[in-house]
Amino acid sequence: MTAFEATRAWAEAQDAADPLRAFRDEFHIPAHAGADTLYFCGNSLGLQPKGVRAAIEAELSDWAELAVEAHFRGRLPWMHYHEYVRDAMAEVVGARPHEVVAMNSLGANLHLMMVSFYRPTAERSAILMEAGAFPTDRYALESQVRFHGFDPSRDLIELQPDGPGGTLSMTAIERAIAEHGHRVALILLPGVQYRTGQVFDLEAIVRLGHAQGCVVGFDLAHAVGNLPLALHDAGPDFAVWCTYKYLNAGPGAVAGAFVHERHARADLPRFAGWWGHDKSTRFQMGPHFSPTPGADGWQLSNPPILALAPLRASLNVFTRSGMARLVEKSRRLTAYLDWLIRTRLDDTLDIVTPDDPTQRGAQLSIRVRAGRDAGRSLFEHLERHGVIGDWREPDVIRLSPVPLYNRYADCFGAVEAIEAWVR
Ligand SMILES: *Cc1c(COP(=O)(O)O)cnc(C)c1O
């Protein structure tokens, strides 16, 4: 690897030579004291692409000028609106277009997917998940177990972290699947653990799970737009994600779902709605539900146009940048921040996130060695100085250099700000 240097001049030279540098200008960067903030929070809420405003305004104009007619005669006829994000979203997650759909929110999609893919029986009733999962996942899974009349204390199997910094080893996952697999109906794991930043080997988990007869689904909230995903080939039964983190589609933006092609025409139980009905006969308004093949068949409602417009604009950025180039920059940018912290702040900070580049994305979770109070004090110091990360209880500061808009100089500036706190 190229040797890094801990100087502003070196960082700025990297930015000047960065083939993706022009993308930063496509985002609104919040200001702090007259300068750009050093925004390291794209893992929580991505910055606003400048194209979003025009995309929403175009739909407002069509509504004003055409009203109901815009369903057919709008610039982008509303009737097909969810299809306008399909190809770009499939590209980002490495799926075939008919395997993905933009709809609802992540939590709602997780429940809809479980209606179809968590089918517990007396012999096989359990869900295997990680302890310390994002709360909505825990709540959703537990409530599904109860909904089916089973007992979470027995049927929710939570994998305990066994690695440094609260990470979970592949060996532990493998062992749990071998031990419990015969009674597991569903394995549900994240692509990236939100607190530690650890990346899971999706393909290996699918292989192990399927070999034991388990259904496998993923929550890709922190993985989509961050990691090089190949969902079709990895082969999970389903996946869900939100689009306001690395995908930059705006607060509470319309989420995504993936249903593997092998289920495209399967007669699975589901909660149905008219927008999931076969498109060719939807407007015959008949009483019998006949699902559209593929992920579209899980839609309930006609899509929220004003909420999908930002997603269309934000995915357009990914179509032009391409995930491969983003991942390449991301690995080097995160490696730089990692290197700066290890070389300059080794006495003060621990990095929780694995240093193996295949086991992390654009996020470093750090802890102040002196403890939680010192961690809070550092976090507040950073905020006061325009370095925006986030805090996750009990003691983690997350910093995410996002390749679309973060710079090497941002990483340098963040480490300078931490050093000022240490002194
Ligand atoms: C961000 C995140 C969510 C958020 O769920 P919403 O339904 O979008 O509010 C859920 N799960 C994980 C793992 C997340 O990181």
Side-chain angles (χ1 to χ4, degrees):
M1 184 183 282
T2 326
F4 295 129
E5 288 179 30
T7 64
R8 178 169 295 283
W10 185 88
E12 286 176 353
Q14 303 307 301
D15 292 323
D18 172 9
L20 298 177
R21 69 185 178 284
F23 283 105
R24 178 177 169 86
D25 293 334
E26 297 194 27
F27 290 87
H28 291 289
I29 316 278
H32 174 84
D36 288 347
T37 56
L38 304 188
Y39 193 77
F40 287 97
C41 218
N43 61 320
S44 183
L45 183 71
L47 293 179
Q48 184 186 139
K50 289 178 180 166
V52 160
R53 189 177 296 269
I56 297 175
E57 280 174 357
E59 303 314 331
L60 287 172
S61 299
D62 276 5
W63 181 19
E65 291 154 24
L66 301 169
V68 72
E69 291 284 293
H71 282 100
F72 308 99
R73 297 201 294 111
R75 278 162 273 196
L76 293 163
W78 294 342
M79 187 59 79
H80 315 291
Y81 209 89
H82 70 280
E83 297 173 13
Y84 307 146
V85 298
R86 178 193 284 157
D87 288 357
M89 195 135 89
E91 186 70 34
V92 166
V93 299
R96 307 215 160 131
H98 66 275
E99 290 176 315
V100 302
V101 61
M103 59 181 188
N104 313 316
S105 62
L106 188 166
N109 289 342
L110 183 55
H111 276 296
L112 289 178
M113 290 293 115
M114 283 197 284
V115 165
S116 299
F117 292 105
Y118 173 52
R119 307 291 306 157
T121 61
E123 302 74 46
R124 200 185 265 278
S125 51
I127 300 180
L128 181 67
M129 65 176 296
E130 42 139 7
F134 194 91
T136 213
D137 295 39
R138 180 73 172 63
Y139 304 155
L141 300 180
E142 175 174 345
S143 63
Q144 286 274 338
V145 169
R146 285 187 199 285
F147 175 75
H148 286 280
F150 292 95
D151 177 2
S153 71
R154 207 187 74 95
D155 289 314
L156 206 55
I157 305 171
E158 293 181 86
L159 276 171
Q160 296 300 326
D162 64 331
T167 53
L168 185 58
S169 72
M170 197 58 215
T171 318
I173 296 175
E174 209 166 334
R175 206 179 308 121
I177 294 175
E179 183 186 342
H180 303 289
H182 66 280
R183 68 181 187 96
V184 168
L186 170 67
I187 298 172
L188 195 289
L189 288 169
V192 178
Q193 216 290 339
Y194 80 100
R195 189 186 280 111
T196 65
Q198 180 188 7
V199 166
F200 291 99
D201 184 342
L202 306 188
E203 200 183 331
I205 292 166
V206 171
R207 194 169 1 93
L208 293 165
H210 282 176
Q212 294 285 334
C214 316
V215 171
V216 180
F218 294 119
D219 180 337
L220 302 178
H222 283 269
V224 65
N226 175 20
L227 304 180
L229 296 170
L231 282 188
H232 176 81
D233 291 341
D237 298 282
F238 72 90
V240 292
W241 56 90
C242 53
T243 62
Y244 48 80
K245 293 173 179 169
Y246 293 100
L247 287 187
N248 314 311
V254 177
F258 164 92
V259 178
H260 196 275
E261 184 170 79
R262 78 179 84 90
H263 302 300
R265 293 180 177 280
D267 187 19
L268 290 162
R270 73 182 87 194
F271 287 171
W274 74 315
W275 227 255
H277 185 91
D278 189 346
K279 204 178 154 180
S280 59
T281 55
R282 184 187 295 143
F283 283 86
Q284 292 173 9
M285 310 298 245
H288 298 295
F289 178 71
S290 164
T292 297
D296 275 7
W298 272 264
Q299 293 173 102
L300 295 179
S301 304
N302 76 102
I305 305 303
L306 298 179
L308 270 178
L311 180 58
R312 202 173 61 75
S314 64
L315 285 170
N316 177 269
V317 179
F318 283 83
T319 301
R320 287 179 289 112
S321 64
M323 277 309 293
R325 288 200 300 164
L326 285 181
V327 167
E328 188 186 334
K329 175 177 170 188
S330 178
R331 290 206 168 138
R332 192 156 179 270
L333 192 62
T334 299
Y336 184 51
L337 181 60
D338 179 292
W339 178 84
L340 283 171
I341 292 171
R342 286 180 205 275
T343 7
R344 307 270 290 240
L345 294 159
D346 200 37
D347 295 339
T348 313
L349 301 181
D350 287 319
I351 299 178
V352 171
T353 309
D355 59 4
D356 172 356
T358 66
Q359 281 191 57
R360 70 180 180 200
Q363 173 187 330
L364 293 181
S365 298
I366 60 180
R367 272 192 191 132
V368 178
R369 207 163 297 150
R372 184 181 180 283
D373 290 349
R376 280 299 312 182
S377 145
L378 170 59
F379 178 69
E380 284 157 21
H381 164 88
L382 291 176
E383 274 198 320
R384 277 196 305 278
H385 292 82
V387 181
I388 310 300
D390 68 7
W391 175 261
R392 281 295 171 264
E393 294 294 348
D395 58 359
V396 166
I397 297 173
R398 303 188 301 181
L399 296 175
S400 297
V402 170
L404 271 174
Y405 47 74
N406 279 120
R407 301 171 298 190
Y408 289 86
D410 295 352
C411 298
F412 184 79
V415 168
E416 267 195 328
I418 300 173
E419 285 178 326
W421 174 81
V422 173
R423 283 195 296 269

